[in-house]
Amino acid sequence: MQLQEGRDKFIQAWGTLGSSWGINRTMAQIHALLLISPIALSTEEIMDALGISRGNVNMNVRSLMDWGIVHKELRPGDRKEYFHAEKDIYLTAMKIMRERRKRELEPLITIMAQLKQVEKLETPEGQALTKAVHDIDHFAHQADTVLTTMEKMTSNWFTQQFLSVIKKIKPL
Amino acid sequence: MQLQEGRDKFIQAWGTLGSSWGINRTMAQIHALLLISPIALSTEEIMDALGISRGNVNMNVRSLMDWGIVHKELRPGDRKEYFHAEKDIYLTAMKIMRERRKRELEPLITIMAQLKQVEKLETPEGQALTKAVHDIDHFAHQADTVLTTMEKMTSNWFTQQFLSVIKKIKPL
DNA sequence: TCACTTTTTCAGAAGTTATTGAAAGTGTAG
DNA sequence: CTACACTTTCAATAACTTCTGAAAAAGTGA
């Protein structure tokens, strides 16, 4: 396979995966483009490479920066902004997890806390709700703990350690 | 808070969370309704409870069954089908993870395997692509291993064990 | 200050995904 | 076979999301 064909396929694949991961297609494609670009790119270069509008590039690049996986680079004597992606894929994955934990798990925990205030009834309906709220709350806290712990993994070394622990656990 | 208010809030919250998790809003709401229902419900009952059409209920209930988190129940002498949700929230989470692993990680691994066939060039562009493909492939395999291991956790007991292992790991 | 370059915003257009509801399909009992 | 009770499908449409491009805002140097 030729280089250009490979690059296109990579951008395409990352875009598709991203959209099933709560990151929109274009955002993921910009991220892919920056991941395989050895140098930082300007807004214009991204527009040309992906054939999308200025507004679209601007909006999605800002989102990628909010996620902490793309950074702005300024060159002395040049007014343009250039962008490059975090190249450590583990760190990138951790940042995405962190953001999703904040955006999804934390609100869930908040709502479950509110729902614990529902008056306890002895009816089957009341008990089913109480059980569901309790179980989900418990699960959400556990998941939050696991992800928070993983956020603290900032090096590949540690990820390897973690994996080796997992591998040693004997499945039932 | 009153029971009915709590039930509505629960369904609402689960629907919102679901939609940020690749499960569509309605599918998640049906799941929530079944989770807090002590008895199995018919298509009509789901339609009435959520105010949605027959086709919509049918389509989403089938998807929930594909994910393995909702089951059909037949009552002797009744032609209607009744549906109930898996009530073990850990088992439910595991099944969702399993499905997402299959739908997202496996295709990613397949594409990275193809991209490894790109001819190796000494140019910065070639090397950047090669590195990205290699890193993502490695990461995807690790993630796949972790999730596959977790799939084998089928009891709360084991989840507790796992969590206690995680907690003991000293963060950097 | 102005002239110029670059970034940001946002209303409307385009594209995508979810929902409806009616028709077709399936299975069962008489 | 027919009538009935339900389930499934799917084309039309509604709802939602993303994208464009031009205008406004912001930034820079003289």
Side-chain angles (χ1 to χ4, degrees):
Chain A
M1 202 191 302
Q2 298 299 304
L3 180 59
Q4 197 49 51
E5 185 188 349
R7 287 169 62 97
D8 292 347
K9 204 159 182 171
F10 182 85
I11 291 171
Q12 191 49 47
W14 206 235
T16 304
L17 189 85
S19 60
S20 67
W21 245 93
I23 291 170
N24 89 40
R25 225 184 102 81
T26 306
M27 204 190 301
Q29 287 183 338
I30 293 175
H31 183 237
L33 176 67
L34 294 176
L35 254 190
I36 59 175
S37 173
I39 54 165
L41 301 179
S42 67
T43 300
E44 302 257 331
E45 288 167 327
I46 297 170
M47 287 167 62
D48 293 350
L50 302 178
I52 58 180
S53 74
R54 183 175 301 283
N56 200 4
V57 170
N58 182 70
M59 204 181 77
N60 284 296
V61 155
R62 270 187 307 115
S63 298
L64 285 164
M65 289 192 295
D66 289 347
W67 285 68
I69 60 181
V70 159
H71 307 284
K72 195 183 280 192
E73 182 181 307
L74 295 172
R75 295 185 189 163
D78 191 344
R79 286 223 212 128
K80 280 205 192 84
E81 294 176 334
Y82 293 82
F83 305 97
H84 66 275
E86 168 60 55
K87 293 297 198 301
D88 182 331
I89 201 72
Y90 287 88
L91 194 51
T92 301
M94 291 303 155
K95 289 192 165 176
I96 292 174
M97 274 184 205
R98 178 189 151 79
E99 204 62 26
R100 289 180 67 93
R101 184 182 66 74
K102 281 203 310 205
R103 295 182 190 191
E104 290 157 28
L105 229 37
E106 288 180 2
L108 181 67
I109 289 171
T110 304
I111 288 169
M112 290 303 128
Q114 288 170 26
L115 288 175
K116 283 179 181 171
Q117 304 310 314
V118 172
E119 53 173 321
K120 299 278 191 304
L121 296 174
E122 291 300 310
T123 59
E125 285 76 16
Q127 293 189 337
L129 179 62
T130 303
K131 177 181 177 349
V133 169
H134 173 269
D135 289 354
I136 290 169
D137 187 57
H138 185 246
F139 176 78
H141 275 101
Q142 280 200 195
D144 195 68
T145 303
V146 169
L147 294 178
T148 302
T149 303
M150 289 180 80
E151 273 173 31
K152 290 170 184 154
M153 300 173 176
T154 47
S155 71
N156 285 358
W157 172 82
F158 190 61
T159 307
Q160 300 294 343
Q161 290 281 103
F162 172 70
L163 190 71
S164 79
V165 171
I166 296 287
K167 278 183 172 161
K168 279 179 202 140
I169 297 173
K170 198 183 294 175
L172 292 180
Chain B
M1 200 190 302
Q2 298 299 305
L3 180 60
Q4 196 49 53
E5 186 189 350
R7 288 170 60 98
D8 292 347
K9 206 160 182 171
F10 182 86
I11 290 171
Q12 192 49 48
W14 205 235
T16 305
L17 190 84
S19 60
S20 67
W21 245 94
I23 291 171
N24 90 39
R25 226 184 102 81
T26 305
M27 207 191 299
Q29 286 183 339
I30 294 175
H31 183 238
L33 176 66
L34 296 175
L35 253 189
I36 60 176
S37 173
I39 53 164
L41 302 179
S42 66
T43 301
E44 301 257 331
E45 288 166 328
I46 297 170
M47 285 168 63
D48 292 351
L50 301 179
I52 58 180
S53 72
R54 183 176 299 283
N56 202 2
V57 170
N58 183 71
M59 205 182 77
N60 284 296
V61 155
R62 271 187 305 116
S63 298
L64 286 164
M65 290 193 293
D66 289 346
W67 285 68
I69 61 182
V70 159
H71 307 283
K72 194 183 283 192
E73 184 181 304
L74 295 172
R75 295 186 190 163
D78 190 344
R79 285 225 210 127
K80 279 205 193 85
E81 294 176 335
Y82 293 82
F83 305 97
H84 66 275
E86 168 59 55
K87 292 297 195 303
D88 181 332
I89 201 71
Y90 287 88
L91 194 50
T92 302
M94 291 303 155
K95 288 192 167 176
I96 293 174
M97 274 184 207
R98 178 190 151 79
E99 205 62 26
R100 289 180 67 91
R101 183 182 67 73
K102 280 204 310 204
R103 294 183 192 192
E104 291 158 29
L105 228 40
E106 287 180 1
L108 180 68
I109 289 171
T110 303
I111 289 169
M112 289 304 127
Q114 287 169 28
L115 288 174
K116 282 182 180 169
Q117 306 309 314
V118 172
E119 53 173 323
K120 299 277 189 307
L121 296 175
E122 291 301 310
T123 59
E125 285 75 17
Q127 292 189 339
L129 179 63
T130 302
K131 177 181 176 352
V133 168
H134 173 269
D135 289 355
I136 289 169
D137 186 58
H138 185 245
F139 176 77
H141 275 101
Q142 280 200 194
D144 195 68
T145 302
V146 169
L147 294 178
T148 302
T149 303
M150 289 180 79
E151 273 173 30
K152 290 171 185 153
M153 300 173 177
T154 46
S155 71
N156 285 359
W157 172 84
F158 190 59
T159 308
Q160 300 295 345
Q161 288 283 102
F162 172 70
L163 191 70
S164 78
V165 171
I166 296 286
K167 278 183 173 162
K168 278 180 202 138
I169 297 174
K170 198 183 297 175
L172 291 181

